[in-house]
Amino acid sequence: MTRAGRSELRRAFAAPRPAAGLVSEFRSVGGLRTHTRRSAVPGRADPPVVLVHGLAVSHRYLTPLAATLSAHHPVYVPDLPGFGLTERPGTAYDVAGHAAFLVDWLAAYRLGPVCLLGHSFGAEVAAALAARRPDLVRALVLAGPTSDPAARSRRGQIGRWLVDTLREAPWQGPILVRDVIDARPWRVFATLSHSVRNAIEEDLVRVTAPTLVLAGARDPVAPADWRAEAVRLVPGARAVTVPGAAHNVVTTAPDPVADAIHDLLTPEEEELTSCVSGTPRSGRPEAGSAAS
């Protein structure tokens, strides 16, 4: 394992201790003792950015992105019910249940409207929240959203995730193992079942917030054709593809992901820069296009 990988693991496993400019808080939300990893010092710019993790993971793998974003924005990474350091309920929540939980979580923190980023299954939850409570969502980022109708089954999704494991940085393995142990395998499997029964398209067409569909160019879980369809379904949505990254783009490419979020939240600045220079900002794809 490289030195960089060991450093990322130390930061990912630090909670509830402070690390990388992040601290932990526990509050009661929906009757559950809920863990949130957040920026220790409020960022300089609004809105707050809330990161929603996927179905087998927790705040841990989002630590690189949270630390990067916290330089400019207040950042919050809640562990969903049963995941990470949040109390485990007796059942596995479906997409609607997780969205309702996040509504209560936002109320507990007196937040909203926020920039909401959901990754993988978290994108399904974020889309459901944005569709049902547009007043709480100023901007939406769907990172590697599941699930592609072409593989909307447990077998189809597991097969794509197995392919993805061959494309990811190996240092992420211990994080996944710890997160699955914390959540319990039955909860992960049950949440996967909820995911493949969720028609995210029905929520995407109802989203009104400025939306970015973001993914790694080598993502087999949310392939290019499905992402293009997601962009088409959300009015005015834009696409950004990060070269070289796979499904866990939020972990392995925090800088370009943070740049894309910043551009989504500051369109006037982006437009002015483009007009002055005649080109988009270095290293960032143009709005509505995807780099490869």
Side-chain angles (χ1 to χ4, degrees):
M1 184 182 298
T2 66
R3 181 178 297 178
R6 289 193 294 269
S7 175
E8 292 295 353
L9 281 177
R10 284 195 296 270
R11 299 201 304 173
F13 287 126
R17 302 185 313 276
L22 305 173
V23 296
S24 288
E25 283 187 350
F26 290 88
R27 296 190 185 186
S28 178
V29 179
L32 298 175
R33 186 173 186 263
T34 300
H35 172 256
T36 299
R37 198 69 166 159
R38 66 167 179 83
S39 46
V41 179
R44 298 186 299 275
D46 279 331
V49 180
V50 177
L51 309 181
V52 184
H53 64 75
L55 70 83
V57 281
S58 73
H59 72 277
R60 295 185 179 104
Y61 83 117
L62 292 171
T63 298
L65 179 57
T68 301
L69 284 169
S70 64
H72 299 287
H73 294 274
V75 179
Y76 298 82
V77 194
D79 282 333
L80 296 176
F83 296 90
L85 302 181
T86 288
E87 183 180 347
R88 292 188 294 271
T91 59
Y93 289 23
D94 60 10
V95 172
H98 279 303
F101 174 83
L102 282 179
V103 170
D104 291 342
W105 179 88
L106 288 167
Y109 275 85
R110 298 182 180 180
L111 294 176
V114 300
C115 173
L116 189 64
L117 179 146
H119 174 247
S120 197
F121 174 74
E124 297 182 58
V125 177
L129 175 56
R132 292 160 172 76
R133 291 294 306 270
D135 57 307
L136 295 177
V137 181
R138 174 173 163 182
L140 179 66
V141 181
L142 305 173
T146 52
S147 59
D148 179 4
R152 191 167 284 167
S153 67
R154 290 185 295 241
R155 176 176 294 180
Q157 289 299 292
I158 291 171
R160 288 187 175 188
W161 282 324
L162 289 175
V163 172
D164 185 65
T165 61
L166 302 176
R167 303 179 182 183
E168 297 286 355
W171 62 263
Q172 299 175 86
I175 298 175
L176 177 60
V177 171
R178 173 67 179 276
D179 282 340
V180 171
I181 290 173
D182 281 351
R184 307 295 189 261
W186 72 263
R187 189 184 311 279
V188 174
F189 189 77
T191 307
L192 172 60
S193 298
H194 289 312
S195 172
V196 298
R197 287 195 292 266
N198 177 59
I200 188 176
E201 303 95 314
E202 296 176 6
D203 289 322
L204 295 180
V205 296
R206 297 168 57 197
V207 171
T208 57
T211 299
L212 183 68
V213 178
L214 183 147
R218 304 178 66 234
D219 186 347
V221 179
D225 288 349
W226 161 236
R227 299 196 308 267
E229 176 65 8
V231 171
R232 186 190 68 79
L233 290 171
V234 181
R238 299 187 294 167
V240 168
T241 303
V242 179
H247 187 57
N248 287 349
V249 61
V250 292
T251 305
T252 59
D255 290 332
V257 173
D259 284 348
I261 294 170
H262 179 75
D263 287 347
L264 177 66
L265 297 176
T266 56
E268 296 83 2
E269 177 185 337
E270 179 181 8
E271 181 179 351
L272 178 60
T273 303
S274 298
C275 289
V276 171
S277 65
T279 58
R281 281 189 262 181
S282 176
R284 299 176 187 171
E286 294 180 79
S289 69
S292 60

